């Protein structure tokens, strides 16, 4: 509906007003291309006529009604609740009586009645707008209260023509709906606050769990990153979630802040202890380097090698002095150790040619020994034992081999001996009166062990480990054959 201050003068019920003075006509423009402003004529002070004079004096012009947004049927229905007397006063029917609602000077009775009917329909539309607004999810309790208060004042004794009883009944209905909506919003708000408290509590509990897990094995950098992430989550939650009660927010922040403070204090203490430990480690390694420099020129190969090994053990036990410090210290220690071990290696290369010749001879004997196995029965084991004894005599006569090869070739010869001995032991046990009682259990154990070895062989990727497992499997197969 258009602004009524433009279409009609303000009025007070039962107070006649003078119609507005018509504006002076515009002067014709001298030039059609440019419109010069026309000075306004002075407006005389309005004179308020008496009600009797106003009633007798016909209107000099008609005030246009605003464009209607309501159907004519609704306007007609609303008009049926009102009337206009001869003086232009508009009345509305309420219950058993009627009430004066105002006047519309300068208009016909039909126009006056239509105006107040439109006002009724406008007020009714306001109620329906509020009803639609109550269905919105973003409406606030204060908006509901303000709307109910404002509409209550408007529908109490409205200056309108229409079914005011129905209008007020609709208002009461919407008032109840508004209260119900407020209850729903309050419940949703409580649930949202509870959810926000739970989410923020989860952040606090993660921080407290991190603090509780601090210890010697803590990765301080990783834990600091986790605390930083939790703090970012806290700030993001504050910005995006519903506002929680100040008491709850303060209590949760106190817990979170305490956990973070405890972590920071523990990390500072750890860093201080680490620096002290690194300084002590550096001192110990400086002592080791000094001793290594004193030993590096020694030619007592065996004794000095043992001492260097002891120095290496002490070096490992000393701990770490920081990456940069450790690298520099290790380079100095390694320089002294290399000086000694390079000299020892040069000396060994001079005297090691005979040992390498011995290694070649023993490897030839190993090939002969390894052809003796596997053995199938006790008779074959006896023959293999005799042949192995002859090989072992030659083995002992050959002499020393290089130290780094000693364990390898001795192990291979021992493996042949063990396979033959397994068959010999099985033969002996077969003659033992108690052997039969244990045979079944022993056979089951061997079968289970062979199955486990098969799994380990399939899983092994290291060739040396796989060869050792296969050798062990061959031995146990010999035992199983002997038991059977």
């Amino acid at each position: 509906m258009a602004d009524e201050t433009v279409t009609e003068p303000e009025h007070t019920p039962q107070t006649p007003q003078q119609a507005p003075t018509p504006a002076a006509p515009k002067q014709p423009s001298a030039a059609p291309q440019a419109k010069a402003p026309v000075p306004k004529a002075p407006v005389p002070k309005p004179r308020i006529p008496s009600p009797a004079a106003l009633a007798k004096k016909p209107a000099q012009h008609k005030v246009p009604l605003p464009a209607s947004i309501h159907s004519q049927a609704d306007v007609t229905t609303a008009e049926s609740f009102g009337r206009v007397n001869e003086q232009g006063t508009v009345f509305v029917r309420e219950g058993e009586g009627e009430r004066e609602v105002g006047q519309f000077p300068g208009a016909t009775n039909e126009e006056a009645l239509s105006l107040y009917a439109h006002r009724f329909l406008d007020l009714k539309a306001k109620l329906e707008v509020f009803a639609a607004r109550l269905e919105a999810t973003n409406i606030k309790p204060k908006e509901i209260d303000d709307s109910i208060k404002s509409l209550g004042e408007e529908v109490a004794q409205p200056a309108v023509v229409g079914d005011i009883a129905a209008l007020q009944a609709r208002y009461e209905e919407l008032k109840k709906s508004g209260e119900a909506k407020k209850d729903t919003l309050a419940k949703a708000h409580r649930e949202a606050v509870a959810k926000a408290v739970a989410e923020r509590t989860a952040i606090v509990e993660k921080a407290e769990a991190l603090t509780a897990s601090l210890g010697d094995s803590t990765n301080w950098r990783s834990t600091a990153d986790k605390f930083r992430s939790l703090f970012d989550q806290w700030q993001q939650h504050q910005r995006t979630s519903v506002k929680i009660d100040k008491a709850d927010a303060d209590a949760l922040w106190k817990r979170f802040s305490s956990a973070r403070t405890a972590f920071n204090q523990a990390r500072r203490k750890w860093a201080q202890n680490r620096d002290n430990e690194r300084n002590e480690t550096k001192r110990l390694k400086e002592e080791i380097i000094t001793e290594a420099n004193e030993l590096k020129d020694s030619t007592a190969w065996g004794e000095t090698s043992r001492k260097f090994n002891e120095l290496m053990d002490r070096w490992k036990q000393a701990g770490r002095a920081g990456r940069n410090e450790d690298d520099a210290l290790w380079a100095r220690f390694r320089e002294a150790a290399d000086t000694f071990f390079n000299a020892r290696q040069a000396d060994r290369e001079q005297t090691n040619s005979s040992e390498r010749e011995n290694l070649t001879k023993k490897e030839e004997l190993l090939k002969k020994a390894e052809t003796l196995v596997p053995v199938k029965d006790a008779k074959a084991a006896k023959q293999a034992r005799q042949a192995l004894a002859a090989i072992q005599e030659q083995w002992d006569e050959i002499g020393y081999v290089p130290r780094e090869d000693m364990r390898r070739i001795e192990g291979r010869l021992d493996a042949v001996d063990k396979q033959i001995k397994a068959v010999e032991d099985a033969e002996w046990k077969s003659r033992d009166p108690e052997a039969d009682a244990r045979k079944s259990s022993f056979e089951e154990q061997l079968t289970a062990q062979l199955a486990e070895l098969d799994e380990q062989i399939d899983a092994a990727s290291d060739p040396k480990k796989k060869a050792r497992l296969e050798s062990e499997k061959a031995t146990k197969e010999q035992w199983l054959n002997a038991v059977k």
Side-chain angles (χ1 to χ4, degrees):
M1 182 172 180
D3 190 349
E4 296 172 1
T5 59
V6 175
T7 59
E8 63 166 307
E10 294 182 353
H11 68 277
T12 303
Q14 296 184 335
T15 302
Q17 295 183 3
Q18 182 178 357
T21 303
K26 294 183 179 180
Q27 298 296 328
S29 174
Q33 298 294 328
K35 295 183 178 180
V38 179
K40 294 183 179 180
V43 179
K45 185 175 180 181
R47 181 176 59 84
I48 306 299
S50 67
L54 183 63
K56 294 178 180 179
K57 185 178 180 181
Q60 307 239 339
H61 66 281
K62 291 185 178 181
V63 178
L65 290 172
S68 176
I69 61 172
H70 308 294
S71 69
Q72 184 58 45
D74 290 340
V75 173
T76 302
T77 301
E79 288 176 348
S80 67
F81 286 85
R83 71 179 181 86
V84 183
N85 65 10
E86 295 177 353
Q87 289 74 33
T89 302
V90 182
F91 295 86
V92 64
R93 187 172 68 252
E94 282 187 301
E96 298 300 325
E98 63 178 7
R99 174 170 56 86
E100 180 182 339
V101 294
Q103 292 180 329
F104 191 2
T108 66
N109 290 352
E110 291 77 8
E111 291 172 338
L113 193 60
S114 177
L115 170 68
Y116 285 93
H118 275 83
R119 289 180 174 177
F120 167 81
L121 294 174
D122 289 344
L123 184 54
K124 182 180 178 182
K126 279 188 180 181
L127 294 178
E128 298 310 317
V129 169
F130 177 56
R133 182 63 182 146
L134 284 176
E135 300 298 325
T137 57
N138 62 342
I139 192 169
K140 304 298 181 186
K142 186 177 185 305
E143 181 182 349
I144 296 174
D145 289 338
D146 291 345
S147 297
I148 289 176
K149 180 180 178 182
S150 174
L151 290 172
E153 293 172 352
E154 290 190 64
V155 302
Q157 279 193 327
V160 299
V161 169
D163 190 350
I164 295 177
L167 190 73
Q168 292 174 339
R170 178 58 172 158
Y171 167 75
E172 293 298 329
E173 179 184 335
L174 292 178
K175 185 176 180 181
K176 292 180 181 178
S177 298
E179 293 300 325
K181 182 68 173 182
K182 285 168 58 180
D183 291 341
T184 301
L185 292 175
K187 180 181 178 182
H189 180 73
R190 289 193 299 269
E191 291 174 351
V193 169
K195 181 174 180 289
V197 170
E199 291 170 346
R200 204 168 295 183
T201 300
I203 297 174
V204 172
E205 289 174 348
K206 289 179 182 179
E208 291 174 337
L210 285 176
T211 300
S213 67
L214 300 178
D216 295 337
S217 60
T218 297
N219 185 325
W220 296 96
R221 177 173 295 179
S222 173
T223 306
D225 290 340
K226 291 176 181 178
F227 263 103
R228 192 175 298 109
S229 174
L230 288 175
F231 182 66
D232 291 342
Q233 292 175 38
W234 179 283
Q235 290 184 312
Q236 178 68 13
H237 192 269
Q238 278 188 317
R239 289 192 297 268
T240 59
S241 69
V242 65
K243 184 177 181 181
I244 66 178
D245 294 340
K246 186 176 186 302
D248 291 334
D250 290 347
L252 288 171
W253 172 250
K254 183 177 181 181
R255 288 172 59 188
F256 182 82
S257 180
S258 297
R260 193 167 62 155
T261 299
F263 164 74
N264 289 332
Q265 291 175 345
R267 182 172 62 170
R268 283 194 293 270
K269 184 177 180 181
W270 165 81
Q272 193 174 36
N273 292 337
R274 178 198 59 188
D275 292 342
N276 294 337
E277 290 173 359
R278 286 180 174 180
N279 291 335
E280 177 63 14
T281 297
K282 182 179 179 182
R283 186 188 67 78
L284 293 174
K285 289 186 174 181
E286 290 283 3
E287 291 180 357
I288 294 171
I289 292 171
T290 299
E291 294 181 38
N293 284 325
E294 292 173 355
L295 294 172
K296 67 180 181 180
D297 297 324
S298 173
T299 55
W301 308 122
E303 178 67 16
T304 306
S305 295
R306 182 184 62 78
K307 290 182 178 179
F308 262 105
N309 288 335
E310 290 176 354
L311 291 178
M312 179 61 69
D313 291 339
R314 286 167 55 191
W315 185 278
K316 292 177 181 178
Q317 293 171 3
R320 297 187 60 80
R323 182 172 181 178
N324 294 334
E325 291 283 357
D326 264 338
D327 290 346
L329 291 168
W330 173 253
R332 292 167 57 194
F333 175 73
R334 193 65 203 173
E335 182 182 3
D338 286 346
T339 299
F340 167 76
F341 285 108
N342 289 340
R344 188 192 69 170
Q345 183 64 25
D347 180 75
R348 177 172 291 180
E349 288 174 356
Q350 293 177 359
T351 60
N352 206 33
S353 58
S354 61
E355 290 181 355
R356 294 192 177 280
E357 291 176 2
N358 292 343
L359 176 62
T360 301
K361 294 176 182 178
K362 286 191 174 184
E363 286 179 337
E364 291 297 325
L365 287 178
L366 272 177
K367 293 178 182 178
K368 294 180 180 180
E370 288 173 344
T371 61
L372 301 176
V373 292
V375 292
K376 297 181 179 180
D377 51 32
K379 181 179 179 181
K382 184 176 181 181
Q383 293 173 353
R385 173 61 65 190
Q386 292 173 351
L388 182 61
I391 290 174
Q392 286 174 330
E393 288 182 4
Q394 297 178 52
W395 185 279
D396 294 338
E397 290 174 358
I398 290 174
Y400 294 110
V401 297
R403 183 183 298 274
E404 59 270 19
D405 297 303
M406 183 182 300
R407 182 177 296 180
R408 175 177 60 83
I409 62 172
E410 292 287 350
R412 288 172 60 186
L413 189 63
D414 287 344
V416 174
D417 180 75
K418 287 178 181 178
Q419 292 185 53
I420 297 173
K421 189 173 185 303
V423 178
E424 292 173 341
D425 290 345
E427 174 63 20
W428 178 83
K429 290 178 182 177
S430 66
R431 297 173 185 174
D432 187 350
E434 298 179 359
D436 291 339
R438 299 190 300 268
K439 180 177 179 181
S440 177
S441 175
F442 185 56
E443 184 176 349
E444 291 177 358
Q445 292 178 9
L446 286 174
T447 302
Q449 291 173 359
L450 284 170
E452 184 178 353
L453 283 171
D454 285 335
E455 293 179 359
Q456 293 178 357
I457 290 171
D458 291 338
S461 58
D462 185 4
K464 292 183 179 180
K465 181 179 180 181
K466 194 166 188 176
R468 179 177 60 76
L469 292 171
E470 288 175 344
S471 175
E472 184 178 350
K473 178 184 175 183
T475 301
K476 292 186 182 295
E477 287 176 340
Q478 292 293 329
W479 290 351
L480 184 60
N481 292 333
V483 169
K484 292 182 178 178

